[in-house]
Amino acid sequence: MENMDSCFIDLFSKGNIVFFGIRLEAGYPFDYLSSSSESVTGYTQDDLKHGLFLTDIIHKSDLPDVIAGLESTTGRCYLHEFRLICKSGRIITAQAFFSIYNESMQITGYLTDISANAESESRLETILSTLPGGVIELDTECRILSANKAIQEIYGYKPEELKGRSLAILMDEQSGRFVVNNLQLAAQTEALPTKFTHRHHKKDGSVIHVEFAWSYVRDGKERIKGFICSITDVTDKKLAHDALSKQLNFLHHILESISHPFFVINVKTMEVVIANSASGYRTGVKCHELLRKSNYPCFMEDFECPLHTVKKTKQPFSCVHIHFDSDNQRKYYEIHGQPVFNEKGELVQMIEYALDITDRKRSESELEKYRNHLEILVDKRTDELNKVNMQLMNEIDERIEKERQLLLAASVIENTIEGITVTDCFGTIQKVNPAFTEITGYEPEEVIGKTPRILKSDKHDEDFYKIMWGNLITKGTWSGEIWNRRKNGDAYPEWLSINAIRDEFDNITHFVAVFHDISEVKQGEEKLKYQAHHDTLTGLPNRQLFNDRLEMAIAFAKRHNQRVAVIFIDLDNFKNVNDTMGHHVGDILLQKVADILKKCVRQEDTVARLGGDEFMLILQDILTEANAVETARRILAEFARPISVGGNEFFINASLGITMYPDDGEDVLTMVKNADLAMYRVKETGKNGYQLFTKNMNEKVQTRVSLERELRRAVQQGEFDLVYQPKVSLSTGRVTGAEALIRWNKDGRIVSPQDFIPVAEETGHIIAIGRFVLNKACEDAVKWHKLGFKDLDVAVNLSARQFRDENLIDSVCGIIDSTGIDPRLLGLEITENTMMEDIQTTIIALAHLVQRGVKISIDDFGTGYSSLSYLKKFPIHVLKVDRQFIKDIPDDTDDIAISTAIINLAKGLNLQVVAEGVETQEQLDFCREHGCDGIQGYFFSRPLSCDAFMELLLSGRTLYQ
């Protein structure tokens, strides 16, 4: 009504129509006048302050008829013409429409000067067309005289289509007869107007629910000449009302299934707004009596304390409360409260439930029962008094709450990103939301009235739909993945959930389908699945997919008595490509290697990349090892051809290990391990070739595994010791120092460093071993110095792994400080290959060590790869000639030439030269003649224990004795 009043006021304020309000009192005083009154009658809103009565402005001759009409049409609408006295005294003929409301004791309506009859009729038609509800004018035979535009929106009929037709056209036959007969009877008996909700039919045949209200239209002689009918479409409200009723009923059943008291408190009014039956059963008060009680329910009288705490902490609370039931039995309840805040952070409700802990509390409070008896009686009386004070109840405004819930549900449906379809029990679509159009491409008008078969993709057979409908009919629900088709013809996957809606008689009335497009999810899953099983750089299968295919190949070969070959491929020295040309070039080269490998095998074979520069092949259904060897040779031949990348040509060397099923293994792990062993055998024998797996390779691996395990134990239990190889000066013949060499005493047997040092390097144990060697050598050297040999130096070898350790500098300096050795008497020996791995890092590390006073030696010089331009940049002091260049002197002229060149190079760089492995007088003479500063070797002494070395020093023995 407020909306309708607003429309009237807006319209009347802009023309010659006057909108008015009159109280049902003596003289009919005016409450308000629209602003247009001043131009029509001369009266304004200010005149109402001094009192303006309807009886004062109607011509005396017409007043009796107007008053009689108003009194006889109470509760209805009334149209009358009369002469009106304007404020200026001018008399005009006015036509007024009165709408009389007994309940509010008020009359509202409008009047107009009918001298401008044509304009007024046009304006009246405009008013009717802008009203939010439908309006139909009928004659006494219930024929439609006119209708506003809203009727078309409700029924689908244009106003001109309805003119002259019976009102029954909007209803089914039975309902039409009923309504028409009742209206015709009302016209004869002048029964009071009424309104009711009824089922009507739209032009397309669909059923709607409308709120139908009618009033009489009388002529100037008070005779009924027709009806004015107001029609409002309440279909959505009716459906939402029914759905909300079901939801509330479902919630009611859930609450009733809870065996503990459960209730919700309005904190502002301290009223119980929700309570289950258990609340009444536990407290002895009927459930409906708890609702709307003030001052909090009977479970806990002292509510202010927890309420204050909850407001302060904004956290749930729990406490123990004592209550007396209807049998006057003490009950202990553990109350749990969950606060509910509004958007402003204000506490508005408390959701609480109570657990009966009487049995537990009785056992705890038995000894205090008598002492508290009087207090319990007082509490009981207080409870009873509180119950008396909480008898006043207010009913929940069910309609307002349901409408709020319906508006909320409608908002959710309209704004959700999931498509929603509502059908009747036969599957005819009645409503869809905007997300439905967004996903399928169909507008609502294209699908409403049709079945969901319009979306069928033909990717499912009839059995699929039979199962779906079977679940819907028997269980009332179905969900799963389904393929449907968009309006443009594209098929797409969606996740669909369908639920049946039942009425109070458990009959299915509607189906609600909720779905969302999972195309991107499916594409993402496929992409992730591909990425999880393929190498991102080359697109080849990765290790996981390789293992799966090999497992299937072995199973197939086992069933069909076939053979399978596995080839492990490792590119030799590929790291040099990345280091010199960059990883971008290396990646392109790996992609081209992958293409070459795919060309070298059959379509049914598998090429996989395990990572880095490692590839694996699976050759299925081969006859003999020769077939695998042929493939390996073909690969090596292809690699021998130049590969062009970015204007550079590369030649690939590779080591290939071959193993056969079932000869060498019958499972994935064994086959891969054996191929790996065969590949490493190629590495050991010079690389760039292939090797078939043999049984003794596995035995070597077992020996190596055992060695790793025992080496770990040796590190933990300290099974290592040092021996010292004396270093002798060729100018004086005296011992000037010693090289520390590690020995492993394993169960009374000495293990050669050549056997365990490589393993220690790979496992990382070399870091701990190296720290032990350096610390022990420094401690022993300090002992020699204390014996008086103060200029005696000690040399310790550093492995490549040690030299790359980021803690090397700190470790060396820490040992120097802890042992007290003079750093000038400590030498560190590093191979030239180790120094050349990362030249800038090497220069920085050596500079730190030399700055501390440590001497640096290049060990085994001439056996590795080094650049003479970088050699002069390294801060080194000693260059050691490797024993392999000394051992065949004087018989091998090449060794003589190489050794001579190394000695001359060292002299040219002002470095000291020490020759290793001197075992004969001829070798000693060569070294002395060519200017070596010192020698090491069995010619003077074998490596000695610390005690034996000290005895040698004390004996004063020299080289020339």
Side-chain angles (χ1 to χ4, degrees):
M1 180 59 71
E2 292 176 358
N3 292 336
M4 189 174 292
D5 291 344
S6 176
C7 292
F8 275 111
I9 293 170
D10 183 65
L11 288 167
F12 289 165
S13 64
K14 297 179 180 179
N16 63 349
I17 299 176
V18 179
F19 183 73
F20 59 83
I22 301 174
R23 296 196 300 275
L24 280 174
E25 296 176 7
Y28 298 94
F30 283 90
D31 267 341
Y32 58 87
L33 289 171
S34 62
S35 59
S36 58
S37 173
E38 183 175 2
S39 62
V40 177
T41 68
Y43 297 108
T44 66
Q45 191 73 18
D46 290 337
D47 294 321
L48 303 186
K49 298 178 182 178
H50 308 293
L52 181 63
F53 296 87
L54 179 65
T55 55
D56 294 336
I57 65 173
I58 297 178
H59 197 279
K60 292 182 178 181
S61 299
D62 298 334
L63 183 60
D65 290 339
V66 175
I67 298 302
L70 291 175
E71 292 175 349
S72 64
T73 57
T74 302
R76 292 169 292 176
C77 298
Y78 172 51
L79 184 68
H80 196 76
E81 295 179 7
F82 55 86
R83 284 169 291 176
L84 185 143
I85 303 171
C86 297
K87 186 174 182 179
S88 63
R90 184 170 61 91
I91 296 175
I92 63 173
T93 300
Q95 185 181 58
F97 177 84
F98 299 91
S99 181
I100 305 164
Y101 302 93
N102 272 347
E103 296 83 352
S104 60
M105 298 296 290
Q106 190 178 29
I107 301 173
T108 60
Y110 65 89
L111 63 85
T112 183
D113 184 351
I114 62 174
S115 59
N117 192 48
E119 183 181 352
S120 298
E121 289 181 358
S122 174
R123 187 170 296 278
L124 179 59
E125 183 178 346
T126 301
I127 292 169
L128 292 176
S129 67
T130 57
L131 289 178
V135 177
I136 291 179
E137 183 183 3
L138 304 174
D139 62 15
T140 56
E141 298 299 321
C142 292
R143 289 188 294 270
I144 298 173
L145 300 177
S146 64
N148 68 347
K149 292 183 179 178
I151 289 297
Q152 182 177 352
E153 297 178 4
I154 296 174
Y155 291 101
Y157 289 102
K158 295 180 179 179
E160 54 267 23
E161 292 182 277
L162 295 175
K163 193 170 184 179
R165 304 180 72 174
S166 173
L167 178 65
I169 192 176
L170 303 179
M171 313 168 197
D172 57 37
E173 183 178 355
Q174 182 178 355
S175 299
R177 283 200 304 269
F178 173 80
V179 174
V180 169
N181 290 340
N182 275 274
L183 286 176
Q184 291 175 346
L185 180 62
Q188 298 170 7
T189 62
E190 296 195 25
L192 290 177
T194 185
K195 67 178 180 180
F196 52 85
T197 301
H198 207 274
R199 288 161 53 96
H200 281 200
H201 286 274
K202 299 178 70 170
K203 184 178 180 180
D204 61 7
S206 59
V207 176
I208 60 174
H209 294 270
V210 301
E211 187 175 85
F212 187 89
W214 58 273
S215 297
Y216 293 117
V217 178
R218 299 176 184 271
D219 59 15
K221 297 182 180 181
E222 285 301 303
R223 292 174 300 185
I224 296 173
K225 68 173 186 178
F227 306 93
I228 292 294
C229 301
S230 172
I231 299 172
T232 304
D233 186 351
V234 295
T235 303
D236 291 342
K237 290 184 179 180
K238 179 87 170 49
L239 294 177
H241 178 275
D242 294 343
L244 181 59
S245 296
K246 292 179 182 179
Q247 293 176 0
L248 293 177
N249 186 50
F250 179 65
L251 176 60
H252 172 73
H253 284 302
I254 292 176
L255 292 179
E256 290 303 304
S257 67
I258 300 175
S259 60
H260 302 293
F262 179 95
F263 42 86
V264 179
I265 309 299
N266 185 322
V267 175
K268 184 176 181 180
T269 62
M270 301 298 286
E271 295 173 339
V272 180
V273 295
I274 297 176
N276 63 352
S277 297
S279 300
Y281 170 73
R282 297 292 186 184
T283 62
V285 180
K286 293 182 179 180
C287 182
H288 70 274
E289 294 177 351
L290 282 175
L291 297 177
R292 292 302 181 188
K293 282 193 174 185
S294 59
N295 297 327
Y296 201 65
C298 49
F299 275 104
M300 201 178 96
E301 294 76 9
D302 187 15
F303 182 54
E304 291 300 325
C305 181
L307 181 60
H308 176 74
T309 302
V310 169
K311 287 181 177 179
K312 183 177 180 180
T313 64
K314 296 188 181 298
Q315 297 295 322
F317 80 90
S318 61
C319 62
V320 176
H321 179 67
I322 302 173
H323 170 68
F324 290 90
D325 62 13
S326 58
D327 297 327
N328 200 28
Q329 295 295 316
R330 176 187 289 182
K331 294 288 185 180
Y332 290 90
Y333 288 98
E334 190 172 76
I335 309 296
H336 295 270
Q338 175 66 44
V340 178
F341 300 93
N342 62 15
E343 62 275 5
K344 297 179 180 179
E346 299 170 340
L347 181 64
V348 293
Q349 287 184 335
M350 289 292 296
I351 302 174
E352 299 186 11
Y353 67 93
L355 303 177
D356 189 344
I357 59 171
T358 304
D359 293 339
R360 188 183 77 191
K361 294 298 291 185
R362 281 176 179 170
S363 62
E364 296 175 351
S365 61
E366 189 66 23
L367 295 178
E368 298 181 5
K369 177 174 60 176
Y370 296 103
R371 184 175 64 85
N372 296 327
H373 182 64
L374 181 59
E375 182 180 350
I376 293 172
L377 290 176
V378 174
D379 289 343
K380 177 183 176 183
R381 296 293 181 266
T382 304
D383 287 344
E384 293 173 352
L385 184 60
N386 287 338
K387 291 177 184 178
V388 173
N389 293 331
M390 291 190 295
Q391 295 303 312
L392 188 60
M393 299 173 59
N394 294 314
E395 294 183 356
I396 299 174
D397 191 341
E398 183 179 353
R399 180 173 180 178
I400 293 177
E401 179 61 22
K402 287 182 178 180
E403 287 182 354
R404 188 185 68 82
Q405 294 287 347
L406 289 173
L407 288 174
L408 178 61
S411 177
V412 171
I413 291 173
E414 289 299 309
N415 293 283
T416 183
I417 62 173
E418 295 183 315
I420 298 177
T421 307
V422 181
T423 73
D424 60 16
C425 60
F426 302 106
T428 302
I429 298 174
Q430 294 184 337
K431 183 176 178 59
V432 296
N433 70 339
F436 174 93
T437 302
E438 182 70 22
I439 295 172
T440 67
Y442 286 100
E443 296 294 333
E445 57 270 18
E446 296 179 290
V447 296
I448 291 178
K450 300 180 181 179
T451 68
R453 293 188 186 92
I454 193 174
L455 305 174
K456 190 175 179 182
S457 68
D458 298 327
K459 289 201 173 188
H460 304 285
D461 56 22
E462 291 301 321
D463 290 340
F464 176 86
Y465 293 102
K466 286 181 180 179
I467 294 173
M468 175 195 293
W469 280 103
N471 283 340
L472 286 173
I473 299 302
T474 58
K475 300 179 181 179
T477 182
W478 183 89
S479 63
E481 183 179 315
I482 187 172
W483 282 81
N484 273 339
R485 193 174 302 280
R486 307 185 205 275
K487 182 180 178 181
N488 62 7
D490 293 342
Y492 70 97
E494 68 180 28
W495 185 263
L496 174 65
S497 297
I498 308 176
N499 289 282
I501 307 300
R502 300 179 183 271
D503 59 17
E504 62 272 18
F505 305 108
D506 203 34
N507 296 320
I508 295 177
T509 61
H510 294 83
F511 294 101
V512 177
V514 180
F515 64 94
H516 61 272
D517 188 346
I518 59 173
S519 300
E520 292 185 2
V521 175
K522 299 287 284 185
Q523 293 170 1
E525 289 176 351
E526 291 298 323
K527 184 177 180 180
L528 288 176
K529 183 177 179 181
Y530 181 85
Q531 292 176 345
H533 293 87
H534 290 80
D535 174 47
T536 56
L537 177 63
T538 62
L540 296 176
N542 61 9
R543 185 185 299 272
Q544 181 178 348
L545 183 54
F546 170 83
N547 290 340
D548 291 343
R549 290 189 179 179
L550 180 56
E551 185 174 5
M552 289 189 292
I554 291 174
F556 185 84
K558 186 175 184 179
R559 289 195 302 269
H560 297 85
N561 195 26
Q562 295 178 354
R563 304 182 78 190
V564 177
V566 174
I567 302 179
F568 196 122
I569 303 172
D570 184 272
L571 306 183
D572 297 333
N573 303 319
F574 190 80
K575 182 177 181 295
N576 294 337
V577 176
N578 286 330
D579 292 344
T580 58
M581 305 301 295
H583 286 277
H584 174 67
V585 174
D587 289 346
I588 297 175
L589 189 56
L590 288 173
Q591 292 170 341
K592 294 201 173 186
V593 167
D595 293 338
I596 292 173
L597 293 176
K598 286 189 287 187
K599 294 177 182 177
C600 292
V601 298
R602 301 165 299 176
Q603 186 173 1
E604 62 268 26
D605 298 330
T606 295
V607 180
R609 180 180 179 225
L610 303 188
D613 55 5
E614 295 180 340
F615 296 84
M616 293 288 280
L617 305 183
I618 303 174
L619 309 181
Q620 295 181 242
D621 189 20
I622 62 173
L623 299 177
T624 65
E625 295 174 346
N627 299 122
V629 170
E630 180 183 354
T631 300
R633 288 174 176 171
R634 186 161 55 248
I635 292 171
L636 291 172
E638 288 293 328
F639 283 169
R641 298 174 181 175
I643 301 175
S644 178
V645 177
N648 297 306
E649 288 190 344
F650 296 90
F651 293 87
I652 298 297
N653 290 340
S655 300
L656 284 67
I658 306 172
T659 186
M660 300 293 298
Y661 167 87
D663 309 62
D664 303 327
E666 298 185 358
D667 59 81
V668 172
L669 292 178
T670 302
M671 294 288 285
V672 173
K673 181 194 69 174
N674 291 344
D676 188 28
L677 291 174
M679 182 273 293
Y680 272 104
R681 180 58 180 167
V682 179
K683 295 280 189 184
E684 293 172 357
T685 56
K687 305 180 181 180
N688 198 33
Y690 65 88
Q691 172 68 54
L692 290 165
F693 174 79
T694 60
K695 298 296 183 182
N696 65 338
M697 292 181 184
N698 194 46
E699 293 175 359
K700 290 182 179 180
V701 170
Q702 297 301 323
T703 301
R704 179 187 176 89
V705 172
S706 176
L707 182 62
E708 289 181 9
R709 184 173 58 253
E710 293 171 346
L711 182 62
R712 186 179 299 106
R713 185 195 64 189
V715 172
Q716 295 172 349
Q717 299 182 1
E719 297 179 0
F720 298 105
D721 200 358
L722 296 185
V723 295
Y724 295 96
Q725 175 70 57
K727 183 173 60 175
V728 182
S729 170
L730 287 179
S731 61
T732 63
R734 296 185 177 278
V735 176
T736 58
E739 179 181 354
L741 304 174
I742 191 169
R743 294 293 184 266
W744 179 11
N745 187 352
K746 178 176 172 293
D747 300 327
R749 178 175 61 86
I750 301 300
V751 181
S752 171
Q754 294 180 346
D755 294 332
F756 72 83
I757 290 297
V759 177
E761 279 274 320
E762 293 180 14
T763 59
H765 292 316
I766 193 65
I767 301 298
I769 293 174
R771 191 176 295 114
F772 160 77
V773 172
L774 182 60
N775 191 76
K776 182 71 166 60
C778 290
E779 288 178 347
D780 290 345
V782 171
K783 294 178 183 178
W784 306 335
H785 299 158
K786 291 180 180 179
L787 290 175
F789 303 99
K790 298 185 181 297
D791 296 327
L792 206 65
D793 61 49
V794 63
V796 177
N797 291 285
L798 291 182
S799 70
R801 185 73 173 268
Q802 284 179 274
F803 194 69
R804 291 194 300 270
D805 181 19
E806 61 183 12
N807 298 317
L808 172 66
I809 306 300
D810 293 339
S811 178
V812 172
C813 293
I815 291 175
I816 290 174
D817 294 336
S818 63
T819 59
I821 188 173
D822 185 347
R824 295 173 299 174
L825 299 177
L826 172 63
L828 297 179
E829 298 187 1
I830 308 167
T831 64
E832 57 181 322
N833 283 341
T834 298
M835 299 179 73
M836 294 301 297
E837 283 187 0
D838 188 340
I839 294 173
Q840 294 302 321
T841 302
T842 297
I843 292 175
I844 294 172
L846 294 181
H848 279 95
L849 293 172
V850 171
Q851 186 178 10
R852 187 63 197 269
V854 177
K855 292 182 178 179
I856 305 298
S857 301
I858 297 183
D859 196 16
D860 301 336
F861 186 79
T863 60
Y865 168 81
S866 63
S867 169
L868 297 182
S869 63
Y870 283 111
L871 186 62
K872 66 180 182 179
K873 296 181 180 180
F874 294 141
I876 55 179
H877 304 85
V878 180
L879 192 149
K880 302 186 74 173
V881 183
D882 189 69
R883 68 184 69 249
Q884 75 177 55
F885 300 126
I886 301 296
K887 67 179 182 178
D888 292 328
I889 293 176
D891 299 325
D892 192 322
T893 56
D894 290 337
D895 285 345
I896 292 175
I898 293 172
S899 298
T900 302
I902 293 174
I903 295 170
N904 291 335
L905 173 64
K907 292 300 182 181
L909 295 174
N910 293 320
L911 302 177
Q912 291 185 359
V913 185
V914 176
E916 297 180 306
V918 176
E919 298 180 357
T920 66
Q921 182 65 48
E922 289 81 0
Q923 293 168 355
L924 175 64
D925 293 340
F926 172 83
C927 293
R928 186 170 48 227
E929 291 172 3
H930 287 78
C932 284
D933 297 293
I935 64 163
Q936 292 177 218
Y938 287 4
F939 182 78
F940 181 75
S941 173
R942 289 178 174 273
L944 303 173
S945 67
C946 182
D947 293 339
F949 183 70
M950 285 194 292
E951 290 180 4
L952 174 66
L953 295 176
L954 293 172
S955 69
R957 177 185 163 194
T958 64
L959 179 64
Y960 303 123
Q961 286 181 348

